[in-house]
Amino acid sequence: MNFSLRQLRQASLFIIPLLGVNLLNAESSPETFELDLRQAIKAALENNFAFRAAAINPEIASLSITQSESFFDTELFASGQVSQSEQDTTFEETTGTSSDNRSWEVGARKRFSYGTTVTARTNLDRRNTDAVVNFSNLSQSADLSLSIRQPLLNGFGKDVNTAGIQSAIAGYSAASESVREALFELLAETERAYWAVARLQEQLALNESSLKVAETLLKEAQERERVGVATRIDVLQAEASRAQRREEIIETRRILGDAIDQLFIYMGTFAPGMLELESSLKVSGLPEGIDTYTDFAEVWNLAKAQDPLLAQQEAVIDQREWQRRAAKNETRPNLDLVLSGAYTGLDSEDAGNAFDSALDRDGHVWIVGFEFSMPWQMRGAKATLRSAEKELEQENIRLNELQQSLFRQVRSAWRNLDSVSQSLEAAKLTVSLQEATFEREMSKYEEGISVFRDVLEVQRDLDQARIRLLDSKFNRLSSEISIARLSGLILERHELNPELILPDPR
């Protein structure tokens, strides 16, 4: 595809800031820009939509912690009431009565982790009762009081009262692990998509090279037919071979386009101009391997320690355990110890004098008591507790299932790595053999002791051997990626610091 440098630069305005890559020297290579694996990973971490959405989960979970902690925030309260009444009477000495009563209360209430509730309040009551003829009674009363309520059964203890906070913290841990899982998945799939593009670009180069060989063989067959040492069948076979190579190029380009699109999806990159940039994108060559794993026990132990799904499930189990403790608390009767004391003051006219009297401790009141209540048989609370216990048991079983599944995945990835490593060595030997066979067959054909069909068959075998070598290289890398993903070594593989990416643990 031919397009101007201006068109390329216009298209790159959309993609270059997202990829974090630099356009190569336009004077020397105006139609090509290179993307290495590190740049692709950086773009994915910054722009991938699924990862960005997953990264919000801990923020939401942290708000649940704040909401649970707010249960122990100090509560302020105030109330006021004004009432008036009048009554006509038929007594001989009075013609009627009226009353004007006013009451004000202000206070604060604080809950503590052991279930204790402390309340401090102040009250002001104003009462004015008038008998129209005989008397008038105005009084002001004030008090300063402190009361303590301490549960002795239901609601007693730090674990019970902080169960909601601990459950929210476990939920935050689960949300954080979901981000780690998304990170591992993003790194693994982005790298796999990157090497898929590399593999297909090399396959396209092989297809184009095979096309050149096919065109050379066609010209040679036509020349040999002209001088009478080849038949028309040889020329037709060469033409068919060239057509087949062209079809392979068309199909490879289609698959390569899909692979590039997939890579761009993981990188969170899309914009006008992508179609033009697709043909100019160049990635690194396909290596035979990056990491070497020699100890299955070490990989398995890392997988158990680093697997985000196991960590998420352990956090869920922690949540269920706190829910079970809260449910068990509800099976206890309510028995609260209540302590309160107050200083009181009175004055016939002035509210300020009534408060001064209370501060001078002119009067006092103290109360000690208890309150008891219990639902008959507690069937609802007991059913809730049994349900919480069954849910906890269920989550423990799921943890065992996840461990079993993880072991199977690690074993499968380990066996696959061993298998593809051997296949890679065999593929390299096969390519060397087929190259030598092709050279020998060409020499025999040029000497006139081999037919053209044999040359085409040997060339086809060589092409297939080279494709199998590419497949083996890609499969080797894919197996390495799977093991790195399962063991948590994917971060080390890409030299990433998890503290700069993952949310802070609580």
Side-chain angles (χ1 to χ4, degrees), residues 35-56:
L35 174 69
D36 64 30
L37 179 59
R38 184 184 296 273
Q39 292 165 334
I41 293 297
K42 181 177 182 294
L45 291 175
E46 293 177 354
N47 304 308
N48 182 266
F49 297 113
F51 181 66
R52 288 168 58 190
I56 299 176

Side-chain angles (χ1 to χ4, degrees), residues 286-470:
L286 195 66
E288 294 182 3
I290 297 176
D291 294 327
T292 301
Y293 304 99
T294 58
D295 189 350
F296 172 78
E298 180 182 0
V299 171
W300 167 236
N301 288 331
L302 284 171
K304 286 191 296 183
Q306 299 293 331
D307 185 67
L309 290 178
L310 290 184
Q312 285 183 65
Q313 186 61 23
E314 289 172 352
V316 171
I317 290 174
D318 197 19
Q319 282 185 306
R320 295 292 183 268
E321 171 59 25
W322 286 107
Q323 291 169 4
R324 185 198 65 80
R325 295 185 186 186
K328 184 176 181 180
N329 171 70
E330 295 302 318
T331 62
R332 300 170 179 171
N334 295 305
L335 178 60
D336 294 354
L337 175 65
V338 180
L339 305 173
S340 67
Y343 291 115
T344 63
L346 295 173
D347 190 84
S348 61
E349 296 290 340
D350 188 77
N353 291 336
F355 275 110
D356 289 340
S357 177
L359 291 173
D360 291 338
R361 305 178 184 180
D362 289 349
H364 68 272
V365 176
W366 60 268
I367 299 173
V368 178
F370 69 90
E371 296 178 5
F372 175 84
S373 66
M374 181 183 71
W376 183 251
Q377 296 183 335
M378 289 190 171
R379 296 200 310 165
K382 291 178 180 178
T384 301
L385 174 60
R386 286 196 297 270
S387 177
E389 291 172 343
K390 292 301 180 181
E391 289 177 354
L392 177 61
E393 180 183 1
Q394 192 176 55
E395 298 302 339
N396 277 301
I397 294 173
R398 286 175 179 165
L399 177 62
N400 293 331
E401 182 184 16
L402 287 173
Q403 290 174 335
Q404 182 185 59
S405 176
L406 178 62
F407 182 78
R408 181 190 61 79
Q409 293 177 57
V410 174
R411 284 287 294 165
S412 177
W414 185 265
R415 283 193 295 264
N416 192 53
L417 178 62
D418 180 65
S419 175
V420 297
S421 297
Q422 296 182 45
S423 297
L424 177 59
E425 296 301 321
K428 289 190 288 186
L429 292 175
T430 302
V431 168
S432 299
L433 174 62
Q434 292 299 330
E435 288 175 344
T437 302
F438 179 74
E439 293 176 1
R440 184 186 63 184
E441 197 63 35
M442 282 296 297
S443 298
K444 291 169 61 178
Y445 176 68
E446 291 172 355
E447 294 173 2
I449 58 177
S450 176
V451 297
F452 190 70
R453 177 184 293 274
D454 293 338
V455 175
L456 294 179
E457 289 180 354
V458 172
Q459 183 198 8
R460 184 164 51 251
D461 292 342
L462 175 58
D463 291 342
Q464 292 175 351
R466 287 171 172 169
I467 296 299
R468 283 195 296 270
L469 178 58
L470 287 178

Side-chain angles (χ1 to χ4, degrees), residues 168-184:
I169 291 175
Y172 178 86
S173 297
S176 299
E177 291 300 329
S178 72
V179 178
R180 196 157 64 98
E181 179 188 6
L183 173 62
F184 286 5

Side-chain angles (χ1 to χ4, degrees), residues 149-182:
R149 177 181 292 271
Q150 175 61 58
L152 301 178
L153 294 176
N154 188 327
F156 176 78
K158 188 173 183 179
D159 285 353
V160 169
N161 288 279
T162 61
I165 297 175
Q166 297 301 327
S167 180
I169 291 175
Y172 178 86
S173 297
S176 299
E177 291 300 329
S178 72
V179 178
R180 196 157 64 98
E181 179 188 6

